[in-house]
Amino acid sequence: MIIAVDVYYEENRAKSVGVIFQRWEDSKPLEVITSYTETPHEYETGFFYKRELPCIQELLKLTDINQIHTLVVDGYVYLDNEQKPGLGHYVYTNYLGEIPVIGVAKNAFHNNEALVRKIYRGSSSKPLYITAVGMELGIAAEHIQSMYGEYRFPHLLKLLDKQTKEAWL
């Protein structure tokens, strides 16, 4: 199975959502899981992962991690051409490098061209920025390119974003 994860912050808590699906071309998720974290780590410039990783770890406790073969994060695996670790890399190392991680970002990051593949979906002239660890970058880009949906942002990732920002319980 594949899981795409995202975290949204509101005041002193975080909502983490995971969309689980079987194949890259799927139009519907198998399951959507949600967890809440009270008083997440404060944001530190350059250390985004410190805030996001604990929330993702809590979320992934709600699934059988042994059934997950790929994890997709909203953001970057590497932050620059020198392989400065981003959120995706920290998620990868947290799971002992056993689960490949694909980073999907909406915006370019400075000094980060060598480890990024731009893909264009639908009729959009704006690319998505794909990074990966644990699998070839070209294959990761092909997976995201093949995802269901006719727009720039794949349907299941758009659903993930919507679920993350929906009203909290």
Side-chain angles (χ1 to χ4, degrees), residues 46-147:
F47 297 97
F48 178 65
Y49 75 92
K50 287 184 179 182
R51 185 172 205 207
E52 200 106 336
L53 183 60
C55 299
I56 292 171
Q57 289 170 320
E58 284 303 308
L59 176 72
L60 293 177
K61 289 178 183 177
L62 301 177
T63 190
D64 181 357
I65 198 69
N66 296 315
Q67 298 297 313
I68 303 298
H69 66 75
T70 309
L71 205 146
V72 179
V73 298
D74 179 16
Y76 281 91
V77 170
Y78 296 111
L79 300 178
D80 62 21
N81 294 331
E82 285 74 46
Q83 295 187 329
K84 179 180 180 184
L87 173 64
H89 192 271
Y90 286 103
V91 170
Y92 179 73
T93 57
N94 184 74
Y95 291 97
L96 307 174
E98 295 176 0
I99 304 171
V101 176
I102 300 173
V104 179
K106 298 176 204 92
N107 299 303
F109 208 74
H110 67 293
N111 192 27
N112 193 6
E113 300 83 32
L115 304 169
V116 174
R117 180 76 47 96
K118 293 180 191 178
I119 64 167
Y120 295 86
R121 292 179 36 94
S123 59
S124 179
S125 61
K126 290 183 70 176
L128 291 174
Y129 301 88
I130 310 302
T131 53
V133 62
M135 80 169 52
E136 286 183 37
L137 180 56
I139 291 171
E142 287 173 14
H143 287 322
I144 302 304
Q145 186 75 53
S146 72
M147 289 183 77

